[in-house]
Amino acid sequence: VIRRQQHNNDTKNAKAQMVLTLPKIQPCGPLISNTIEPRILLMGETASPQPDQVGMEYAERSMWSVLSMIVGLSVSNKDFDSYQTLKEATLSRGIAIWDVLSNVIHDTARRNRKSKKKIGEEKPNRLMTFVEKYPSTLAFCFIGVKARKTFGKHFGVSDTDSKLTISSSRSSIRLIVLPSSSKSNKLLLEEKAAKWGNVMEEFFLD
């Protein structure tokens, strides 16, 4: 029994040491068109890690399968050239991409659902600074309920609020929850695209 307890303690200590020694991963910043002012800020909950290849920021996201249907492009987000085409088509509609939190989930934690936790204290991105810099922003669109709840927790907005008032000098920002793009959401891809499109097209640039 003593040996078994010692083994369990050693295992716990090893796991704790692994968490403490995980390398710090830098998050991606906001993805914005160089020529088009954003009208929608599309957000997940936690941040994407900086990719090994410049230009492939956010490429691992499941949202691209939905966005590709909305912009009418049957291209892959895995190939560099195809991803640039898809990304530009999306951003040119006035969509910017970021996340509620700057925390990146480490791959080790991502593979193990039981330990799928943000590394360290939750740190919200500077979304109000984003809006101040890009006053053209009309809506925050959250990919899934979890992203919306996390936003509300850090920015003092209730789950039932549909608008966010930044200041009296400008109109409020719509707060919209989109169906999750994850495969765990059992909606068909076409249904997800239809629901996203019906909401977002109101804000698209012609």
Side-chain angles (χ1 to χ4, degrees):
V1 175
I2 294 175
R3 287 182 177 178
R4 183 178 299 172
Q5 290 176 340
Q6 182 64 44
H7 173 74
N8 291 339
N9 289 336
D10 290 344
T11 302
K12 290 179 180 178
N13 290 336
K15 289 181 178 179
Q17 184 177 7
M18 181 187 71
V19 171
L20 291 173
T21 57
L22 288 175
K24 183 176 178 59
I25 305 173
Q26 296 300 318
C28 289
L31 195 61
I32 310 167
S33 170
N34 292 326
T35 57
I36 303 295
E37 291 286 305
R39 296 168 65 87
I40 297 171
L41 181 57
L42 180 62
M43 290 184 280
E45 185 198 17
T46 54
S48 281
Q50 284 284 355
D52 294 331
Q53 185 177 10
V54 175
M56 294 298 285
E57 293 80 7
Y58 297 96
E60 83 287 356
R61 294 286 181 95
S62 59
M63 64 182 176
W64 294 110
S65 59
V66 181
L67 290 169
S68 65
M69 296 193 71
I70 292 175
V71 301
L73 288 175
S74 180
V75 295
S76 171
N77 58 313
K78 307 300 182 184
D79 172 74
F80 181 85
D81 290 336
S82 296
Y83 179 58
Q84 305 313 305
T85 301
L86 175 56
K87 183 170 60 175
E88 180 55 34
T90 299
L91 301 183
S92 67
R93 299 293 183 98
I95 300 173
I97 295 167
W98 207 10
D99 295 292
V100 177
L101 300 177
S102 64
N103 303 75
V104 179
I105 297 178
H106 195 278
D107 285 345
T108 303
R110 194 182 295 275
R111 287 193 295 266
N112 185 352
R113 290 187 177 183
K114 292 183 179 180
S115 61
K116 188 175 180 180
K117 300 177 182 177
K118 271 80 69 180
I119 304 303
E121 181 182 356
E122 288 187 350
K123 297 178 180 179
N125 278 315
R126 300 176 67 180
L127 301 179
M128 299 306 104
T129 301
F130 179 94
V131 172
E132 290 173 5
K133 185 175 181 179
Y134 300 102
S136 58
T137 306
L138 301 176
F140 286 172
C141 290
F142 303 94
I143 304 176
V145 174
K146 193 173 181 182
R148 172 64 177 84
K149 285 183 176 295
T150 300
F151 171 82
K153 179 173 69 173
H154 288 283
F155 291 92
V157 181
S158 76
D159 292 345
T160 57
D161 286 339
S162 61
K163 293 183 179 180
L164 174 67
T165 301
I166 304 299
S167 68
S168 58
S169 62
R170 62 154 291 166
S171 59
S172 57
I173 291 178
R174 292 268 301 277
L175 304 176
I176 302 169
V177 179
L178 303 174
S180 171
S181 57
S182 169
K183 290 182 179 179
S184 61
N185 181 352
K186 299 306 180 183
L187 284 176
L188 295 174
L189 179 59
E190 292 79 6
E191 293 177 297
K192 296 175 187 176
K195 289 179 180 293
W196 283 36
N198 288 339
V199 169
M200 299 171 76
E201 284 174 2
E202 173 185 348
F203 306 100
F204 282 170
L205 295 170
D206 295 331

